[in-house]
Amino acid sequence: MTLTKSIQTICLTLAACLWTVACSETDGPQRDTNTVTVSKDFPLSEAEGSPVCGVRLNVACFSGSDSAAMIMNRHVAKMLFDIDCSDIRLAADSFANMCGHDYKRSLAAFYRQDKTDPSKRQWYEYRYSMTTEVSRKRKGYITYLADKTMFEGGSHEISLRLTANFNAETGHAVTTEELFVPGFKKRLSAILLDRLKEKTGAETLDDLHGEGYLLSTDMYPADNFILDDGGMTFIYNPYEIAPYDKGRIELYVRNDEIEDLLI
């Protein structure tokens, strides 16, 4: 190999390394996660075969003691458990114990009256479960997704999907107000309404109303959303824009559709 070719090879290798480093910096630091697992059963009475409140939690937390990890963990604890704490294990355990405490406090007296009626037992079987996923779908951001399921003795369980999109450098959870220019909601709502029509096959707003959509609210950008490099997905949980039987609704908007609205 000639000296000139050797120098060219070295330069190309160095350029590739610099490009990789630059991309890594743009994408933010790598973030390791651990999984916090909580599994507890809370019997409603001391009698054998008592109904129980079962709590099953598998929740990702960000490892490390830097400020970004603590900010993200605090946001996750507040989002999932409504507890202001950066220790996810402590928050998850406290949440499980609160579920058990509230279950017994609210239902123990009623169960003493109904325990001889087998047809009413299902009223007292409660369960809570949660699973999470951490991914990188857009450069510079970490997406946190949680699926939360609750059954409180009713006719069906309730499933919710909760999301957060963290700045990989700072740990800050970005909001729609920070992504879009002021006054964005009217235009973005119109785009989302078009996506909903496409998804359901409806041609008009009246058609949507006839199927049970948007009866108690106008279309709006959901606080639950997932960023990816091509656009963003807005997530509507049951009852938010449609009845329970329609399930969770996800509407995708491409970046090129909203580029004039993005900051």
Side-chain angles (χ1 to χ4, degrees), residues 4-74:
T4 300
K5 288 186 177 180
S6 296
I7 292 174
Q8 288 176 341
T9 301
I10 293 172
C11 289
L12 288 172
T13 302
L14 179 59
C17 291
L18 290 174
W19 183 87
T20 301
V21 170
C23 288
S24 298
E25 290 175 350
T26 301
D27 200 30
Q30 296 299 312
R31 292 285 175 186
D32 293 330
T33 60
N34 297 315
T35 300
V36 171
T37 300
V38 174
S39 180
K40 293 187 177 185
D41 289 320
F42 300 92
L44 190 52
S45 76
E46 297 181 358
E48 184 177 353
S50 166
V52 300
C53 171
V55 182
R56 306 288 184 268
L57 309 176
N58 290 280
V59 180
C61 65
F62 296 95
S63 55
S65 58
D66 61 300
S67 62
M70 294 181 67
I71 289 170
M72 290 189 289
N73 284 334
R74 186 176 294 275

Side-chain angles (χ1 to χ4, degrees), residues 69-135:
M70 294 181 67
I71 289 170
M72 290 189 289
N73 284 334
R74 186 176 294 275
H75 184 94
V76 168
K78 187 67 176 177
M79 178 176 73
L80 300 186
F81 309 122
D82 196 25
I83 295 176
D84 188 9
C85 173
S86 61
D87 187 331
I88 297 297
R89 183 171 297 281
L90 176 61
D93 196 62
S94 297
F95 172 80
N97 290 335
M98 284 191 295
C99 288
H101 176 268
D102 292 345
Y103 172 69
K104 293 179 180 179
R105 178 180 56 81
S106 301
L107 299 179
F110 294 104
Y111 178 64
R112 284 196 292 270
Q113 300 175 15
D114 292 335
K115 63 182 179 181
T116 58
D117 186 347
S119 67
K120 296 180 179 179
R121 181 185 174 88
Q122 66 176 358
W123 298 356
Y124 298 97
E125 296 286 359
Y126 278 32
R127 59 181 180 270
Y128 301 90
S129 65
M130 195 177 301
T131 59
T132 65
E133 175 187 331
V134 178
S135 62

